[in-house]
Amino acid sequence: MIIKKDKDTIQNYFEDNSGLRGSYADFAAIAENEQDVVAFLAEMSEKKIPVTIAGALTGNTASGLAFGGTVLSLEKLNKIGDIEKVDDNTAYITVQSGARIQDIKDKAFGKGWMYPPDPTEKNASIGGNISTNASGGRGFKFGVTRDYVQSLKIVLADGSSVLIERGKNFADAAGIINFETSTGKKTITLPEYKLPVIKNAAGYYNYPNADLIDIFIGSDGTLGVTVEAKLRLIPHFKEVFGGIIFFTSRDAAYNFVQSVKEASKKSKAENDKNSISAMSLEYFDKNALLLIRDDYPVIPENVEAGIMFEQDVYYYNFDILMEKWVDIIEQSGIDTDKVWFASNMAEQEEFRLFRHRIPERVNERVKKNKIPKVGTDFAVPEGKLTEIVDFCDKEFKESGLFNLTFGHIGENHLHANIIASNEDEYKKTKEMYARIAQKAVELGGTVSAEHGIGKLKHIFLEKMVGEEGFKEMAKFKKSLDKSAILGQDNIFPKKYL
């Protein structure tokens, strides 16, 4: 274990993409192996010293920022194991929690495999992605991080360790789960609040018959320290086909997306490999597109919305697939001559840079203003997206604050970013977000679909689970972390501990 106490030396642990200021710790501990984590947590638990887990510090909710106590950095736990092929459709790779997403993807790709979750931030660590159940742009087809985690090696707050394998430990009808650790048997009882049955990364996972591994995924560094994960891989596609369409009306963009969703659902039901099956459907509003127009003159001046779509191509006929996409585009009243197409992975990489340029520009503004950004992470049930977007528009117009919206429209999951330039505006953005969160909950949605809650979104999660839900969370956390040292103030306010 490497211990650093010099304030200048550890300053880099006190900033992430959230823009939250004032982070500090008495010292930083950099683990060099699993045993370092075991010994360190046992000591911190006994001394009741708060521990904040830090990975790549690319998060948006400040969950990796310490406010007192110590930082436990997992940056040196970055080994990536060999790929274990099971059959032609499945392989596994075992990685340490500090391994970067891009490095994992690159190693898998080199052997013809793919790790499907595709978060915007490729420098994020796998441990961070697991802690928030991240997804990214290709979640429409491939789902979220949880869908690809086969096992986790976790060190609990008292220094005991446990290997959790998917399919081995489930909650009974009363929400009770029993499991073995290195120091004996543990019994936990899940909280009883209700979570929406959609894409969700808000609150401890407590769905009926929950698998133990899913309780730790998305727990935001509050229940234990993930030191190793076994991930499922799938065959990598041979090519990719996609396009970016610019619309002069938002309704036209919505209608196109709905047509693609219906076509994709039909091809899946019929197992038709020569038909439309979108891998991703990404949305950009007018303000998001204008933010990057200087970088991409292809964006027209009269744009109101944009849609980026991707489809993975394996062995079936590319020409047939191209024809079907052209048909659905033309049926939507779109001139294909004005569509920016990509017909291979090299061209598609340009689209990915286009998509990623928007949050990059947003983060640049946030850092320049030195005011935390307020960015929604809501998702709503099918058929409710138009209502929540219209609600947001009304809020934005009344506020007069700079805003833009983009995100995963295929899953009804959008990121509305409201950028404040001073403290008064920041107060307004938080009040506005609270109203948007309330509306999302009223529509049966979630206040966080992939970024988690961290330290910035307590008030929004409270709208989903209430104060009683926070009390249930605190009780549940302490059943695994008796001294309540891990990730204080993440997910729910630390005053409930």
Side-chain angles (χ1 to χ4, degrees):
M1 180 72 80
I2 300 170
I3 303 295
K4 295 183 178 181
K5 295 184 177 181
D6 180 74
K7 289 184 179 180
D8 292 334
T9 303
I10 63 176
Q11 187 60 39
N12 60 305
Y13 295 107
F14 304 143
E15 184 177 339
D16 66 1
N17 287 339
S18 71
L20 186 63
R21 305 297 172 183
S23 175
Y24 67 95
D26 296 328
F27 63 96
I30 299 93
E32 297 184 279
N33 52 57
E34 180 183 333
Q35 285 308 308
D36 278 353
V37 178
V38 169
F40 182 74
L41 289 185
E43 180 184 355
M44 295 300 102
S45 186
E46 183 178 348
K47 294 179 178 178
K48 294 183 170 55
I49 297 175
V51 176
T52 301
I53 305 158
L57 289 170
T58 58
N60 295 308
T61 64
S63 59
L65 297 183
F67 286 83
T70 179
V71 172
L72 172 59
S73 173
L74 306 179
E75 62 197 274
K76 289 186 176 294
L77 300 186
N78 57 9
K79 293 179 181 176
I80 301 175
D82 294 330
I83 294 171
E84 308 165 38
K85 181 178 177 180
V86 177
D87 53 37
D88 288 343
N89 297 311
T90 306
Y92 293 111
I93 188 168
T94 300
V95 301
Q96 290 186 312
S97 58
R100 304 293 176 116
I101 295 298
Q102 190 61 59
D103 294 336
I104 295 169
K105 284 180 168 290
D106 287 347
K107 184 158 188 176
F109 179 72
K111 298 293 184 180
W113 297 94
M114 177 170 69
Y115 176 62
D118 195 47
T120 299
E121 181 53 77
K122 297 302 186 294
N123 286 321
S125 66
I126 185 62
N129 275 202
I130 290 169
S131 74
T132 61
N133 191 32
S135 54
R138 292 173 175 171
F140 178 66
K141 183 168 190 173
F142 294 127
V144 297
T145 295
R146 175 174 282 119
D147 299 322
Y148 299 91
V149 179
Q150 187 66 18
S151 70
L152 292 175
K153 187 178 287 186
I154 291 172
V155 181
L156 300 176
D158 62 2
S160 60
S161 59
V162 55
L163 176 63
I164 305 174
E165 297 177 279
R166 183 167 296 282
K168 295 291 182 69
N169 303 89
F170 294 95
D172 64 17
I176 298 172
I177 307 179
N178 297 302
F179 62 99
E180 293 289 335
T181 75
S182 60
T183 58
K185 181 180 177 180
K186 280 194 180 291
T187 299
I188 57 175
T189 303
L190 299 180
E192 295 182 354
Y193 50 73
K194 302 297 183 183
L195 295 174
V197 189
I198 59 172
K199 182 181 182 182
N200 179 54
Y204 294 130
Y205 188 98
N206 71 339
Y207 296 99
N209 198 37
D211 192 318
L212 178 62
I213 197 169
D214 290 325
I215 312 304
F216 286 90
I217 299 170
S219 61
D220 235 353
T222 62
L223 302 181
V225 178
T226 297
V227 292
E228 187 177 275
K230 185 177 183 179
L231 308 174
R232 178 168 64 90
L233 307 178
I234 65 174
H236 203 288
F237 47 80
K238 301 303 177 184
E239 274 300 349
V240 64
F241 173 77
I244 297 178
I245 305 174
F246 301 108
F247 296 86
T248 54
S249 82
R250 196 168 63 194
D251 286 345
Y254 291 162
N255 291 338
F256 173 72
V257 167
Q258 193 57 39
S259 296
V260 175
K261 282 185 176 183
E262 290 171 1
S264 298
K265 184 177 180 180
K266 181 180 179 182
S267 67
K268 181 178 180 181
E270 298 175 354
N271 194 27
D272 183 357
K273 296 186 181 299
N274 285 314
S275 193
I276 289 173
S277 177
M279 179 167 60
S280 68
L281 286 165
E282 294 289 287
Y283 171 81
F284 317 102
D285 78 352
K286 177 179 181 177
N287 289 348
L289 292 170
L290 293 181
L291 184 67
I292 61 171
R293 192 168 182 272
D294 286 345
D295 301 309
Y296 293 95
V298 68
I299 300 171
E301 290 184 2
N302 63 340
V303 69
E304 287 294 329
I307 297 294
M308 184 179 85
F309 64 88
E310 292 180 301
Q311 176 158 348
D312 44 329
V313 181
Y314 294 86
Y315 299 104
Y316 42 98
N317 193 308
F318 188 92
D319 292 335
I320 293 176
L321 187 61
M322 175 72 166
E323 287 177 10
K324 293 195 174 184
W325 273 102
V326 168
D327 285 346
I328 200 170
I329 289 170
E330 290 180 339
Q331 287 168 16
S332 298
I334 301 161
D335 182 352
T336 54
D337 289 337
K338 296 181 180 179
V339 179
W340 182 9
F341 283 114
S343 58
N344 56 57
M345 283 190 278
E347 292 176 355
Q348 193 69 17
E349 184 60 25
E350 287 297 314
F351 284 5
R352 292 165 62 77
L353 293 174
F354 176 97
R355 162 67 173 83
H356 296 168
R357 188 65 54 86
I358 296 170
E360 286 173 3
R361 290 286 181 260
V362 169
N363 289 335
E364 286 170 6
R365 285 199 176 206
V366 169
K367 289 182 178 180
K368 180 181 179 181
N369 292 344
K370 297 183 179 180
I371 300 289
K373 75 173 180 181
V374 171
T376 72
D377 191 23
F378 65 73
V380 292
E382 196 67 39
K384 300 293 185 180
L385 186 66
T386 302
E387 189 171 348
I388 187 69
V389 173
D390 287 345
F391 182 87
C392 289
D393 273 356
K394 183 174 181 293
E395 289 284 341
F396 297 155
K397 288 175 182 176
E398 290 177 356
S399 74
L401 297 176
F402 179 77
N403 65 86
L404 57 94
T405 300
F406 60 94
H408 321 307
I409 196 169
E411 301 124 273
N412 304 307
H413 170 202
L414 296 182
H415 303 297
N417 288 253
I418 316 144
I419 313 298
S421 58
N422 56 56
E423 289 294 342
D424 287 341
E425 288 186 354
Y426 180 53
K427 182 180 178 181
K428 289 181 181 179
T429 64
K430 291 195 292 184
E431 293 169 350
M432 189 190 315
Y433 191 174
R435 293 189 292 271
I436 293 171
Q438 182 65 51
K439 183 66 175 180
V441 172
E442 290 173 1
L443 294 173
T446 177
V447 298
S448 181
E450 68 174 341
H451 290 160
I453 298 298
K455 296 177 174 68
L456 295 180
K457 300 185 178 182
H458 301 155
I459 187 174
F460 312 129
L461 179 58
E462 187 176 8
K463 295 183 181 301
M464 287 178 61
V465 302
E467 188 175 358
E468 285 303 311
F470 281 163
K471 292 177 180 178
E472 290 180 37
M473 288 181 186
K475 181 179 179 181
F476 176 65
K477 172 182 166 56
K478 286 191 281 189
S479 70
L480 285 165
D481 177 9
K482 185 177 180 180
S483 297
I485 63 169
L486 290 178
Q488 288 187 0
D489 221 32
N490 284 354
I491 302 183
F492 59 90
K494 63 182 179 182
K495 69 181 182 180
Y496 289 97
L497 292 172

